[in-house]
């Protein structure tokens, strides 16, 4: 296998390389290298984004948080701000494979691969994040829900790359959490993942955002259980009833799949773990 590799050090240079036919981006490479070895992908050249500093880092402003696409999961784990203010994202990162994967895998790669089991996507969906996309015509933005088209499919057009993901800075009234079910805990690809974000006013849930992964062709918001949660007391919340609402949603969506008998029950436990974390944080 003999593939030419370009190593730009500025964003514009990377975008220019991508205007050529036959190229493919390499970020952390944790998935791409496997695809190349199996010869499932045969690009003429690779554009290595490792040295494009504009694509890496966590930028916190008064109102928003922007995370560069080349930010690794280890960067998130080592961020005291993320751990304190965005436990859902920190919990996602700390449970993202072995430490070797955390060191190499990037936020942008995890999102752009658009795997149904990608752990970060439900978290960013619950945060109502938007994707910032760079191309020859400049910058464009779209919601992460619109960006993910299905398993392995995203909305990047020829010559574009994901620059960053951005979302509103959590308010003091917000609580967020993440839980996953895998075959071997942190080393496993998720069989089910769930991210929860709620806004609470005087112990009442005024807004709810629940996203799941591995329960369809793409991660997505669970609108039925979100509606159920709104207006409920976070202190007296009937967790079992909420979990049944979510289970019914999943059963309807996956009713033709062989995995439904398992997943309609398993999702209840994952959701309960996530919502119980929110309740615990509300009581701190």
């Amino acid at each position: 296998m003999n593939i030419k590799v370009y190593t730009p050090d500025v964003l514009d240079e990377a975008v220019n390389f991508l205007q050529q036919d036959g190229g493919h981006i390499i970020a952390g490479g944790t998935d791409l290298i496997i695809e190349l070895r199996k010869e499932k992908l045969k690009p003429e050249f690779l554009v290595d984004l490792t040295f494009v500093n504009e694509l890496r880092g966590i930028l916190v402003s008064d109102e928003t948080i922007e995370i560069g696409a080349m930010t690794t999961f280890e960067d998130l784990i080592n961020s005291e701000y993320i751990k304190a203010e965005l436990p859902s994202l920190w919990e996602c990162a700390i449970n993202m494979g072995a430490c070797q994967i955390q060191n190499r895998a990037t936020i942008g790669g995890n999102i752009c691969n658009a795997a149904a089991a990608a752990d970060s996507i439900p978290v960013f969906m619950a945060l109502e994040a938007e994707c910032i996309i760079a191309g020859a015509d400049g910058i464009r933005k779209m919601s992460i829900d619109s960006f993910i088209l299905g398993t392995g499919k995203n909305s990047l057009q020829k010559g574009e790359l994901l620059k960053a993901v951005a979302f509103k800075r959590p308010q003091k009234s917000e609580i967020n959490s993440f839980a996953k079910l895998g075959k071997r805990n942190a080393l496993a690809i998720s069989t089910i993942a769930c991210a929860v974000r709620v806004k609470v006013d005087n112990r009442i849930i005024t807004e709810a955002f629940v996203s799941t992964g591995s329960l369809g062709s793409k991660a997505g918001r669970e609108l039925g259980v979100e509606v159920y949660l709104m207006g409920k007391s976070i202190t007296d919340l009937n967790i079992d009833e909420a979990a049944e609402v979510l289970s019914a949603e999943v059963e309807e969506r996956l009713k033709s799949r062989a995995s439904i008998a398992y997943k309609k029950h398993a999702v209840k436990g994952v959701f309960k773990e996530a919502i119980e974390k929110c309740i615990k944080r509300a009581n701190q």
Side-chain angles (χ1 to χ4, degrees):
M1 182 171 58
N2 187 15
I3 303 175
K4 187 170 184 177
V5 179
Y6 295 111
T7 55
D9 55 14
V10 294
L11 181 59
D12 287 346
E13 187 180 10
V15 170
N16 287 337
F17 281 130
L18 291 171
Q19 304 312 305
Q20 304 175 42
D21 292 329
H24 200 289
I25 291 171
I26 180 168
T30 54
D31 291 320
L32 179 64
I33 297 300
I34 296 172
E35 298 292 294
L36 293 174
R37 286 176 177 170
K38 292 181 178 179
E39 297 189 344
K40 291 184 178 181
L41 285 176
K42 297 181 180 180
E44 294 179 17
F45 65 91
L46 297 174
V47 180
D48 184 354
L49 302 179
T50 301
F51 303 104
V52 184
N53 290 330
E54 297 162 80
L55 298 177
R56 186 165 182 168
I58 303 166
L59 179 62
V60 181
S61 67
D62 289 341
E63 296 184 356
T64 62
I65 298 173
E66 183 175 310
I67 301 176
M70 287 297 290
T71 303
T72 66
F73 284 87
E74 184 177 53
D75 293 332
L76 298 178
I77 293 168
N78 292 334
S79 169
E80 291 299 326
Y81 177 85
I82 296 296
K83 185 176 182 179
E85 301 297 329
L86 287 162
S88 60
L89 187 54
W90 190 86
E91 289 161 352
C92 164
I94 200 71
N95 287 290
M96 174 67 180
C99 58
Q100 297 92 332
I101 298 296
Q102 295 168 357
N103 179 260
R104 292 293 305 167
T106 64
I107 288 296
N110 198 244
I111 292 172
C112 290
N113 284 343
D119 286 347
S120 72
I121 295 176
V123 175
F124 288 124
M125 284 187 172
L127 292 169
E128 297 183 290
E130 64 178 8
C131 293
I132 302 174
I133 301 164
D137 296 328
I139 298 293
R140 66 186 182 99
K141 301 177 181 180
M142 65 192 311
S143 70
I144 190 168
D145 185 59
S146 298
F147 182 80
I148 305 296
L149 300 177
T151 302
K153 299 178 181 179
N154 64 52
S155 298
L156 289 177
Q157 299 174 7
K158 179 185 174 182
E160 292 185 328
L161 59 83
L162 180 63
K163 179 178 182 289
V165 60
F167 48 92
K168 291 182 180 179
R169 186 172 177 175
Q171 301 171 359
K172 291 183 178 181
S173 61
E174 290 185 31
I175 310 164
N176 58 84
S177 66
F178 172 82
K180 68 183 271 189
L181 175 64
K183 294 180 181 178
R184 289 190 300 135
N185 299 324
L187 300 185
I189 294 174
S190 292
T191 54
I192 299 174
C194 181
V196 175
R197 176 170 68 104
V198 293
K199 295 183 180 181
V200 180
D201 183 20
N202 290 324
R203 312 297 294 176
I204 300 298
I205 299 173
T206 58
E207 291 187 71
F209 308 85
V210 179
S211 299
T212 59
S214 297
L215 293 174
S217 62
K218 58 178 277 188
R221 295 267 298 275
E222 302 291 356
L223 302 182
V225 74
E226 289 181 356
V227 171
Y228 172 86
L229 291 172
M230 287 188 287
K232 301 291 193 302
S233 166
I234 197 164
T235 305
D236 302 319
L237 182 65
N238 188 326
I239 298 174
D240 289 333
E241 191 171 285
E244 290 294 342
V245 172
L246 177 56
S247 178
E249 284 189 272
V250 172
E251 183 174 15
E252 177 63 25
R253 185 163 66 245
L254 302 182
K255 57 186 176 183
S256 62
R257 298 194 181 190
S259 62
I260 180 57
Y262 165 72
K263 288 193 170 182
K264 71 177 183 179
H265 292 295
V267 69
K268 291 190 285 188
V270 180
F271 169 74
K272 286 180 183 180
E273 181 182 345
I275 198 69
E276 283 171 354
K277 289 178 181 178
C278 285
I279 294 171
K280 182 178 179 180
R281 285 165 186 157
N283 291 329
Q284 289 176 347

